[in-house]
Amino acid sequence: MSCRWAAAVLSLVAGLATPAPGLAAPAPAQAPFEWKLKRGDVFYVRNVTATKQTLKALGKEVPQNFELKVVLGFAVEDETSDGFLLKETVEEVTFTPEKGEPISDEKIKGSTFAVTLSKKWEILKFEGHDKLIDKLAGDDTSARQALQAILSEDALKKSIRELMSFVPDRPIKEGETWERSIEQPYGPLGTLRETRTYKIEGKTDFSGSRVDKITFTTAVDFKPGKPDKTLPYYVVNGEMKAEADQAKGTILFDPVAGRVVQIEAQLKLRGRMVLSSSGANVDMVVEQEQITKVAVLKEKPAK
């Protein structure tokens, strides 16, 4: 598995890096931002994340700047008294390095997942992860092990949780705040727990409609992953902190359509890690900045 392809996959995991709400969702009667879904509905989510990252280790500095565009399609296939059945399709994954031409990942494109949601927007079932790993890894055992660490099932669920589960669990008035947390997997490196504090700012205009504007700030907590002998390295310890003035974002929610229409997020992280590789420890400094723009669309966007 090439370094570029691995970076693209890891960015797909971490790079649907929009606001990261938690799993809990409110009762429908209390939800001021209730999604409205019915059988036959189709919508698309376009996520564009620009990443600037610098790794410093052994006296060397390695910049990794790129843009990742991911387009997901969602179709509501059924609605029951218990919830909804959605079909999720990967329509496009395009990796654009700072220097070079855009590269489309045709192996991931077209992958589908069956998602069962409760009426409280909890993911009850997520099917298709194993088929994706089979499709990407084939008979390559080492590639399969790496993919299972990087492209976990929880990572693939992240985009749905971000879009549908950020709503508060109580009635919220303009100016009030609430929190949501989620653990974002970073493959063999560990887990980044993101806690968002949301605030209702009021109404604003968007594409001819009056929508609700919600702002948020982010705090993070990093936990190193467990040692894995199948991988060439693991994190002994480390920490990551978010820059307070560059860890924020905005969500626009259309109450008439009953869905998020736009998310813009900014997250700048600084931290350090101690990696163990071949019995030796290596100190590494990490600096990463991500600017993400997400749009929820009625029609599939042109490539």
Side-chain angles (χ1 to χ4, degrees):
M1 183 168 61
S2 70
C3 293
R4 174 192 58 76
W5 188 87
V9 172
L10 184 55
S11 298
L12 173 61
V13 175
L16 290 175
T18 50
L23 301 182
Q30 296 182 337
F33 311 117
E34 179 74 356
W35 272 73
K36 299 175 183 177
L37 297 179
K38 64 180 185 300
R39 183 184 302 172
D41 282 353
V42 175
F43 61 94
Y44 296 86
V45 178
R46 181 183 62 209
N47 180 300
V48 180
T49 300
T51 299
K52 293 183 178 180
Q53 179 173 278
T54 302
L55 306 178
K56 301 176 182 178
L58 300 175
K60 297 182 179 180
E61 185 173 303
V62 181
Q64 296 178 335
N65 302 334
F66 55 88
E67 179 184 274
L68 183 73
K69 180 168 74 169
V70 178
V71 178
L72 303 174
F74 292 89
V76 182
E77 297 201 322
D78 198 7
E79 178 182 1
T80 69
S81 58
D82 297 325
F84 303 92
L85 176 61
L86 274 61
K87 179 181 179 181
E88 176 184 351
T89 303
V90 179
E91 301 287 351
E92 179 186 348
V93 177
T94 301
F95 177 85
T96 305
E98 185 177 33
K99 298 179 181 179
E101 296 297 320
I103 302 167
S104 294
D105 199 320
E106 298 300 323
K107 284 189 174 183
I108 295 179
K109 180 181 177 180
S111 300
T112 61
F113 309 97
V115 185
T116 303
L117 296 175
S118 75
K119 287 295 179 76
K120 293 184 178 182
W121 312 112
E122 300 165 324
I123 299 177
L124 303 178
K125 187 182 296 185
F126 189 92
E127 300 173 282
H129 174 258
D130 290 342
K131 290 183 179 180
L132 175 61
I133 298 299
D134 289 342
K135 179 180 179 181
L136 297 177
D139 297 328
D140 189 330
T141 302
S142 61
R144 177 177 296 274
Q145 291 172 338
L147 283 167
Q148 287 173 338
I150 295 173
L151 203 58
S152 68
E153 184 174 307
D154 279 342
L156 294 175
K157 294 176 181 178
K158 183 174 180 288
S159 60
I160 300 173
R161 290 170 174 164
E162 289 170 344
L163 286 171
M164 298 182 177
S165 301
F166 74 93
V167 292
D169 57 2
R170 67 184 191 281
I172 296 290
K173 297 179 181 179
E174 185 175 324
E176 291 187 329
T177 63
W178 72 98
E179 290 187 354
R180 286 288 177 268
S181 296
I182 192 171
E183 291 190 348
Q184 178 175 309
Y186 273 88
L189 296 180
T191 301
L192 193 70
R193 182 177 179 83
E194 300 182 6
T195 299
R196 308 281 178 172
T197 300
Y198 296 91
K199 181 180 180 181
I200 300 177
E201 299 290 353
K203 295 287 186 178
T204 190
D205 293 320
F206 180 80
S207 298
S209 300
R210 294 291 286 173
V211 299
D212 294 302
K213 179 180 178 181
I214 304 116
T215 60
F216 66 88
T217 57
T218 307
V220 302
D221 180 43
F222 176 76
K223 295 181 180 179
K226 296 180 180 179
D228 187 340
K229 294 182 180 180
T230 65
L231 298 175
Y233 64 88
Y234 65 89
V235 178
V236 178
N237 60 64
E239 62 178 8
M240 297 287 285
K241 299 294 182 182
E243 296 286 330
D245 61 338
Q246 299 183 63
K248 57 188 178 180
T250 303
I251 302 173
L252 299 182
F253 188 93
D254 187 337
V256 176
R259 64 190 57 184
V260 170
V261 292
Q262 179 178 283
I263 302 173
E264 293 187 348
Q266 178 183 8
L267 181 61
K268 187 170 184 178
L269 301 172
R270 295 181 185 271
R272 55 169 293 278
M273 297 181 188
V274 178
L275 302 182
S276 178
S277 178
S278 301
N281 288 349
V282 177
D283 291 321
M284 181 173 70
V285 176
V286 181
E287 296 180 359
Q288 183 186 83
E289 182 178 2
Q290 289 187 330
I291 297 177
T292 300
K293 295 183 179 181
V294 178
V296 179
L297 309 167
K298 295 180 181 179
E299 298 182 358
K300 181 179 177 180
K303 187 172 182 180

